[in-house]
Short mmCIF file of all heavy atoms in Angstrom, two decimals:
data_model
loop_
_atom_site.label_atom_id
_atom_site.label_comp_id
_atom_site.label_asym_id
_atom_site.label_seq_id
_atom_site.Cartn_x
_atom_site.Cartn_y
_atom_site.Cartn_z
N ASP S 1514 -52.96 181.58 58.69
CA ASP S 1514 -52.41 180.46 57.91
C ASP S 1514 -51.69 179.51 58.86
O ASP S 1514 -50.71 179.91 59.49
CB ASP S 1514 -51.45 181.02 56.85
CG ASP S 1514 -50.74 179.90 56.09
OD1 ASP S 1514 -51.14 178.72 56.24
OD2 ASP S 1514 -49.80 180.21 55.34
N PRO S 1515 -52.14 178.27 58.97
CA PRO S 1515 -51.50 177.37 59.93
C PRO S 1515 -50.10 176.92 59.51
O PRO S 1515 -49.33 176.45 60.35
CB PRO S 1515 -52.45 176.17 60.00
CG PRO S 1515 -53.22 176.20 58.72
CD PRO S 1515 -53.29 177.64 58.29
N ALA S 1516 -49.78 177.05 58.24
CA ALA S 1516 -48.50 176.51 57.74
C ALA S 1516 -47.34 177.46 58.04
O ALA S 1516 -46.61 177.91 57.15
CB ALA S 1516 -48.60 176.24 56.25
N GLN S 1517 -47.18 177.79 59.32
CA GLN S 1517 -46.11 178.67 59.73
C GLN S 1517 -45.47 178.09 60.99
O GLN S 1517 -46.14 177.53 61.84
CB GLN S 1517 -46.64 180.07 60.03
CG GLN S 1517 -47.35 180.69 58.83
CD GLN S 1517 -47.78 182.13 59.11
OE1 GLN S 1517 -47.02 183.07 58.96
NE2 GLN S 1517 -49.02 182.28 59.54
N VAL S 1518 -44.16 178.28 61.08
CA VAL S 1518 -43.47 177.80 62.27
C VAL S 1518 -42.18 178.60 62.44
O VAL S 1518 -41.47 178.86 61.47
CB VAL S 1518 -43.17 176.28 62.19
CG1 VAL S 1518 -42.32 175.93 60.98
CG2 VAL S 1518 -42.52 175.79 63.47
N GLY S 1519 -41.91 179.03 63.66
CA GLY S 1519 -40.71 179.79 63.93
C GLY S 1519 -40.12 179.42 65.27
O GLY S 1519 -40.80 178.88 66.13
N ALA S 1520 -38.83 179.70 65.42
CA ALA S 1520 -38.15 179.43 66.68
C ALA S 1520 -37.04 180.44 66.88
O ALA S 1520 -36.38 180.85 65.93
CB ALA S 1520 -37.57 178.01 66.69
N ALA S 1521 -36.89 180.87 68.14
CA ALA S 1521 -35.78 181.77 68.48
C ALA S 1521 -35.25 181.37 69.84
O ALA S 1521 -36.01 181.10 70.76
CB ALA S 1521 -36.27 183.22 68.51
N VAL S 1522 -33.91 181.29 69.92
CA VAL S 1522 -33.26 180.96 71.19
C VAL S 1522 -32.19 182.01 71.46
O VAL S 1522 -31.40 182.33 70.57
CB VAL S 1522 -32.62 179.56 71.13
CG1 VAL S 1522 -31.91 179.25 72.45
CG2 VAL S 1522 -33.65 178.50 70.81
N ILE S 1523 -32.18 182.53 72.67
CA ILE S 1523 -31.13 183.48 73.05
C ILE S 1523 -30.34 182.87 74.19
O ILE S 1523 -30.90 182.45 75.20
CB ILE S 1523 -31.72 184.83 73.46
CG1 ILE S 1523 -32.60 185.36 72.31
CG2 ILE S 1523 -30.60 185.82 73.80
CD1 ILE S 1523 -33.20 186.72 72.57
N LEU S 1524 -29.02 182.81 73.99
CA LEU S 1524 -28.14 182.18 74.98
C LEU S 1524 -27.61 183.21 75.97
O LEU S 1524 -27.80 184.41 75.80
CB LEU S 1524 -26.98 181.48 74.26
CG LEU S 1524 -27.41 180.37 73.30
CD1 LEU S 1524 -26.20 179.81 72.56
CD2 LEU S 1524 -28.12 179.25 74.07
N ALA S 1525 -26.95 182.69 77.00
CA ALA S 1525 -26.47 183.56 78.07
C ALA S 1525 -25.49 184.63 77.57
O ALA S 1525 -25.44 185.73 78.11
CB ALA S 1525 -25.81 182.71 79.16
N ASP S 1526 -24.77 184.30 76.52
CA ASP S 1526 -23.82 185.29 76.00
C ASP S 1526 -24.47 186.25 75.02
O ASP S 1526 -23.80 187.06 74.39
CB ASP S 1526 -22.64 184.58 75.34
CG ASP S 1526 -23.07 183.79 74.09
OD1 ASP S 1526 -24.29 183.85 73.74
OD2 ASP S 1526 -22.24 183.12 73.49
N GLY S 1527 -25.78 186.17 74.88
CA GLY S 1527 -26.49 187.12 74.03
C GLY S 1527 -26.70 186.65 72.60
O GLY S 1527 -27.43 187.28 71.83
N THR S 1528 -26.10 185.54 72.25
CA THR S 1528 -26.27 185.02 70.90
C THR S 1528 -27.75 184.75 70.61
O THR S 1528 -28.43 184.12 71.42
CB THR S 1528 -25.51 183.68 70.71
OG1 THR S 1528 -24.19 183.85 71.18
CG2 THR S 1528 -25.54 183.26 69.25
N GLU S 1529 -28.23 185.23 69.48
CA GLU S 1529 -29.61 184.97 69.07
C GLU S 1529 -29.60 183.98 67.92
O GLU S 1529 -28.99 184.23 66.88
CB GLU S 1529 -30.28 186.26 68.62
CG GLU S 1529 -30.43 187.27 69.74
CD GLU S 1529 -31.31 188.46 69.34
OE1 GLU S 1529 -31.74 188.54 68.17
OE2 GLU S 1529 -31.55 189.30 70.22
N ILE S 1530 -30.29 182.88 68.11
CA ILE S 1530 -30.36 181.87 67.06
C ILE S 1530 -31.81 181.76 66.65
O ILE S 1530 -32.68 181.47 67.48
CB ILE S 1530 -29.84 180.52 67.58
CG1 ILE S 1530 -28.39 180.70 68.05
CG2 ILE S 1530 -29.96 179.45 66.51
CD1 ILE S 1530 -27.95 179.63 68.99
N VAL S 1531 -32.09 181.99 65.38
CA VAL S 1531 -33.48 181.95 64.93
C VAL S 1531 -33.61 181.04 63.73
O VAL S 1531 -32.63 180.78 63.02
CB VAL S 1531 -34.01 183.36 64.55
CG1 VAL S 1531 -33.94 184.30 65.75
CG2 VAL S 1531 -33.25 183.92 63.36
N ALA S 1532 -34.84 180.57 63.52
CA ALA S 1532 -35.10 179.70 62.37
C ALA S 1532 -36.56 179.80 62.00
O ALA S 1532 -37.41 180.14 62.83
CB ALA S 1532 -34.72 178.26 62.70
N GLY S 1533 -36.85 179.51 60.71
CA GLY S 1533 -38.23 179.54 60.26
C GLY S 1533 -38.80 180.96 60.32
O GLY S 1533 -38.09 181.94 60.10
N ASP S 1534 -40.08 181.04 60.65
CA ASP S 1534 -40.79 182.32 60.65
C ASP S 1534 -40.56 183.06 61.96
O ASP S 1534 -41.52 183.51 62.61
CB ASP S 1534 -42.27 182.07 60.41
CG ASP S 1534 -42.52 181.27 59.12
OD1 ASP S 1534 -42.02 181.70 58.06
OD2 ASP S 1534 -43.20 180.22 59.19
N ALA S 1535 -39.30 183.19 62.35
CA ALA S 1535 -38.99 183.72 63.67
C ALA S 1535 -39.21 185.22 63.78
O ALA S 1535 -39.25 185.76 64.88
CB ALA S 1535 -37.55 183.37 64.05
N ASP S 1536 -39.31 185.90 62.64
CA ASP S 1536 -39.50 187.34 62.71
C ASP S 1536 -40.91 187.77 62.30
O ASP S 1536 -41.17 188.95 62.12
CB ASP S 1536 -38.44 188.05 61.86
CG ASP S 1536 -37.08 188.01 62.56
OD1 ASP S 1536 -37.02 188.46 63.73
OD2 ASP S 1536 -36.11 187.49 61.97
N ARG S 1537 -41.81 186.80 62.16
CA ARG S 1537 -43.19 187.14 61.82
C ARG S 1537 -44.00 187.33 63.11
O ARG S 1537 -44.05 186.43 63.94
CB ARG S 1537 -43.80 186.04 60.96
CG ARG S 1537 -45.16 186.44 60.42
CD ARG S 1537 -45.55 185.62 59.21
NE ARG S 1537 -44.49 185.52 58.21
CZ ARG S 1537 -44.46 184.59 57.25
NH1 ARG S 1537 -45.44 183.71 57.16
NH2 ARG S 1537 -43.46 184.56 56.39
N PRO S 1538 -44.62 188.47 63.26
CA PRO S 1538 -45.38 188.71 64.49
C PRO S 1538 -46.64 187.83 64.54
O PRO S 1538 -47.27 187.55 63.52
CB PRO S 1538 -45.80 190.18 64.40
CG PRO S 1538 -45.02 190.75 63.26
CD PRO S 1538 -44.66 189.62 62.35
N PHE S 1539 -46.96 187.38 65.73
CA PHE S 1539 -48.21 186.61 65.95
C PHE S 1539 -48.85 187.12 67.23
O PHE S 1539 -48.23 187.86 68.00
CB PHE S 1539 -47.91 185.12 66.03
CG PHE S 1539 -46.93 184.75 67.10
CD1 PHE S 1539 -47.37 184.46 68.40
CD2 PHE S 1539 -45.56 184.70 66.85
CE1 PHE S 1539 -46.46 184.14 69.40
CE2 PHE S 1539 -44.65 184.38 67.85
CZ PHE S 1539 -45.10 184.09 69.12
N SER S 1540 -50.08 186.71 67.43
CA SER S 1540 -50.83 187.15 68.61
C SER S 1540 -50.36 186.32 69.80
O SER S 1540 -50.55 185.10 69.83
CB SER S 1540 -52.32 186.93 68.34
OG SER S 1540 -53.10 187.59 69.29
N ILE S 1541 -49.79 186.97 70.81
CA ILE S 1541 -49.19 186.16 71.88
C ILE S 1541 -50.26 185.63 72.85
O ILE S 1541 -50.00 184.70 73.60
CB ILE S 1541 -48.10 186.93 72.67
CG1 ILE S 1541 -48.69 188.11 73.45
CG2 ILE S 1541 -46.97 187.36 71.75
CD1 ILE S 1541 -47.71 188.69 74.48
N GLN S 1542 -51.42 186.24 72.82
CA GLN S 1542 -52.54 185.76 73.67
C GLN S 1542 -52.10 185.49 75.12
O GLN S 1542 -51.61 186.40 75.76
CB GLN S 1542 -53.17 184.52 73.01
CG GLN S 1542 -53.87 184.86 71.69
CD GLN S 1542 -55.10 185.74 71.89
OE1 GLN S 1542 -55.88 185.52 72.80
NE2 GLN S 1542 -55.27 186.77 71.07
N SER S 1543 -52.23 184.27 75.58
CA SER S 1543 -52.01 184.01 77.00
C SER S 1543 -50.56 184.10 77.43
O SER S 1543 -50.27 184.13 78.63
CB SER S 1543 -52.55 182.64 77.38
OG SER S 1543 -53.94 182.62 77.28
N VAL S 1544 -49.63 184.13 76.47
CA VAL S 1544 -48.24 184.35 76.89
C VAL S 1544 -48.14 185.71 77.57
O VAL S 1544 -47.30 185.93 78.44
CB VAL S 1544 -47.27 184.25 75.69
CG1 VAL S 1544 -45.83 184.44 76.15
CG2 VAL S 1544 -47.44 182.92 74.97
N SER S 1545 -49.05 186.62 77.19
CA SER S 1545 -49.06 187.95 77.80
C SER S 1545 -49.29 187.88 79.31
O SER S 1545 -48.94 188.80 80.04
CB SER S 1545 -50.14 188.83 77.16
OG SER S 1545 -51.43 188.38 77.53
N LYS S 1546 -49.87 186.77 79.79
CA LYS S 1546 -50.16 186.66 81.23
C LYS S 1546 -48.88 186.66 82.05
O LYS S 1546 -48.88 187.06 83.21
CB LYS S 1546 -50.95 185.38 81.50
CG LYS S 1546 -52.34 185.39 80.86
CD LYS S 1546 -53.04 184.04 80.95
CE LYS S 1546 -54.37 184.08 80.21
NZ LYS S 1546 -55.02 182.75 80.16
N VAL S 1547 -47.80 186.18 81.44
CA VAL S 1547 -46.51 186.22 82.14
C VAL S 1547 -46.09 187.67 82.37
O VAL S 1547 -45.64 188.04 83.46
CB VAL S 1547 -45.43 185.48 81.33
CG1 VAL S 1547 -44.06 185.65 81.97
CG2 VAL S 1547 -45.78 184.02 81.17
N PHE S 1548 -46.28 188.49 81.35
CA PHE S 1548 -45.83 189.88 81.46
C PHE S 1548 -46.75 190.70 82.35
O PHE S 1548 -46.30 191.54 83.12
CB PHE S 1548 -45.71 190.50 80.06
CG PHE S 1548 -44.81 189.70 79.16
CD1 PHE S 1548 -45.25 189.24 77.93
CD2 PHE S 1548 -43.52 189.36 79.57
CE1 PHE S 1548 -44.43 188.48 77.11
CE2 PHE S 1548 -42.68 188.59 78.75
CZ PHE S 1548 -43.14 188.16 77.52
N SER S 1549 -48.07 190.46 82.26
CA SER S 1549 -48.96 191.22 83.14
C SER S 1549 -48.74 190.80 84.59
O SER S 1549 -48.77 191.62 85.50
CB SER S 1549 -50.43 191.04 82.72
OG SER S 1549 -50.80 189.68 82.74
N LEU S 1550 -48.45 189.51 84.81
CA LEU S 1550 -48.15 189.07 86.18
C LEU S 1550 -46.89 189.77 86.70
O LEU S 1550 -46.87 190.29 87.82
CB LEU S 1550 -47.97 187.55 86.21
CG LEU S 1550 -47.48 186.98 87.55
CD1 LEU S 1550 -48.47 187.25 88.67
CD2 LEU S 1550 -47.21 185.48 87.43
N ALA S 1551 -45.85 189.78 85.87
CA ALA S 1551 -44.61 190.44 86.29
C ALA S 1551 -44.87 191.92 86.57
O ALA S 1551 -44.39 192.47 87.57
CB ALA S 1551 -43.54 190.26 85.21
#
Side-chain angles (χ1 to χ4, degrees):
Chain S
D1514 175 10
Q1517 301 184 85
V1518 59
V1522 178
I1523 304 182
L1524 299 175
D1526 65 3
T1528 310
E1529 296 190 355
I1530 301 160
V1531 300
D1534 305 307
D1536 286 306
R1537 188 160 312 162
F1539 58 89
S1540 193
I1541 66 167
Q1542 293 293 318
S1543 293
V1544 182
S1545 70
K1546 295 171 184 175
V1547 174
F1548 305 125
S1549 58
L1550 173 62

